[in-house]
């Protein structure tokens, strides 16, 4: 199991392994923090997880816990948010989520709050680990709907803490249009601009609901071929849930995308904004990687092509 996260600018499209010590965080620091603040766990092993995220460093603590430390100030607000809200949300959700056990404070030269959580069994979702991808897509949709039904009273409104997931995609308008300019002549920027403009026009007027903010394969765990857990609520909050539909293009296709679309049952305006979120992320990554990372470029070209086709076709 992994309890880190993918980089904010990949929306779960890739995972990375990192040498211990990235961002000034290593196992020895974690051991010092544990010894100073939670001496009852001082004898437990501290081991980096095999696949780490970017926003946080994550370590396995003994056999039943993880330690999660933000790598920069922008990611630190998630600690308090998740510590407060995950225990409240968990009873309403159909599969496991990370359960906070303790919250650490700055110390030993480390400047942010950090967290200790219960270890979750499972492997990162990928098609080869899933028995029935359309059924899996429907179970993902069920989780999203359960999250949307959870009581949003006093929940954290979308904003900087969620990297503006749950707000209007217009927050990223300048970034998107700069990427379109960079990619002019290399993708169909006229069609892409039409998708983006449609997303901005499809304003959200619903009641605020809970959203995860980074529904991607890297944040889904599978066991015995099915969905077992959803991790990393660092970009979660209360607002527009359109951002959680991006997985329709980043993980699903064909029958599985149709199963997800049918089960999640969102209106056409929400789908228009979701296409905008998917397009924004794919554009900014492609603009950066098109000449330097062939694998990432191909993955993001695929997402762009699928989004454009959906916009031109059924229009959901």
């Amino acid at each position: 199991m992994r309890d880190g996260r993918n980089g904010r600018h990949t929306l779960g499209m890739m995972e990375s392994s990192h040498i211990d010590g990235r961002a000034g965080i290593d196992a020895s620091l974690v051991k010092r923090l544990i010894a100073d603040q939670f001496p009852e766990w001082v004898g437990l092993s501290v081991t980096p997880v095999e696949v780490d995220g970017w926003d946080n460093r994550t370590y396995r603590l003994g056999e039943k816990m993880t330690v999660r430390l933000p790598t920069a100030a922008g990611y630190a607000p998630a600690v308090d948010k998740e510590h407060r809200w995950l225990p409240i949300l968990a009873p309403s959700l159909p599969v496991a989520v990370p359960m906070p056990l303790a919250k650490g404070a700055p110390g030993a030269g480390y400047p942010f709050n950090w967290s200790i959580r219960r270890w979750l069994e499972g492997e990162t979702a990928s098609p080869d680990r899933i028995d029935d991808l359309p059924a899996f897509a429907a179970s993902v949709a069920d989780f999203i709907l359960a999250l949307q039904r959870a009581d949003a009273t006093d929940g954290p409104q979308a904003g900087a803490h969620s990297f503006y997931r749950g707000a209007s995609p217009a927050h990223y308008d300048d970034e998107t249009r700069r990427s379109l300019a960079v990619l002019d002549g290399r993708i169909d920027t006229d069609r892409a601009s039409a998708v983006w403009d449609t997303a901005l026009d499809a304003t959200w007027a619903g009641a605020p609901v809970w959203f995860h903010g980074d529904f991607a394969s890297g944040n889904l765990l599978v066991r015995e071929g099915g969905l077992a857990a959803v991790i990393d609520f660092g970009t979660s909050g209360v607002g527009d849930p359109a951002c959680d539909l991006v997985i329709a293009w980043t993980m699903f296709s064909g029958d599985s995308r149709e199963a997800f679309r049918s089960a999640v049952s969102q209106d056409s305006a929400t789908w228009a904004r979701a296409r905008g979120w998917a397009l924004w992320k794919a554009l900014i990554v492609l603009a950066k990687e098109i000449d330097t990372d062939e694998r990432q470029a191909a993955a993001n070209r695929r997402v762009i092509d699928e989004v454009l086709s959906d916009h031109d076709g059924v229009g959901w």
Side-chain angles (χ1 to χ4, degrees), residues 46-57:
V46 175
T47 309
V49 295
E50 182 178 352
V51 181
D52 201 5
W54 185 257
D55 301 359
N56 299 272
R57 297 293 328 269

Side-chain angles (χ1 to χ4, degrees), residues 64-199:
K64 298 181 179 180
M65 293 180 283
T66 62
V67 180
R68 194 165 187 251
L69 304 93
T71 59
Y75 310 131
V79 174
D80 291 344
K81 177 173 62 178
E82 291 177 297
H83 192 82
R84 176 182 177 186
W85 288 105
L86 282 174
I88 295 173
L89 291 171
S92 301
L93 302 175
V95 298
V97 297
M99 289 304 297
L101 301 175
K103 184 170 67 174
Y110 178 74
F112 310 121
N113 287 346
W114 49 284
S115 60
I116 298 176
R117 296 151 177 226
R118 184 173 295 123
W119 176 263
L120 290 172
E121 295 292 344
E123 297 179 292
T124 302
S126 62
D128 61 300
R129 293 170 174 163
I130 296 169
D131 292 339
D132 182 334
L133 195 56
F136 181 85
S139 67
V140 169
D142 288 345
F143 186 97
I144 289 173
L145 291 176
L147 185 61
Q148 291 179 12
R149 289 191 296 267
D151 186 359
T153 304
D154 298 327
Q157 297 293 315
H161 70 91
S162 67
F163 289 79
Y164 296 93
R165 307 294 203 278
S168 170
H171 179 81
Y172 292 109
D173 186 48
D174 289 347
E175 188 175 44
T176 300
R177 296 193 189 280
R178 287 196 301 270
S179 297
L180 285 166
V182 169
L183 295 169
D184 190 27
R186 307 188 74 174
I187 67 167
D188 191 335
T189 52
D190 287 341
R191 290 170 68 212
S193 294
V195 171
W196 182 247
D197 289 339
T198 300

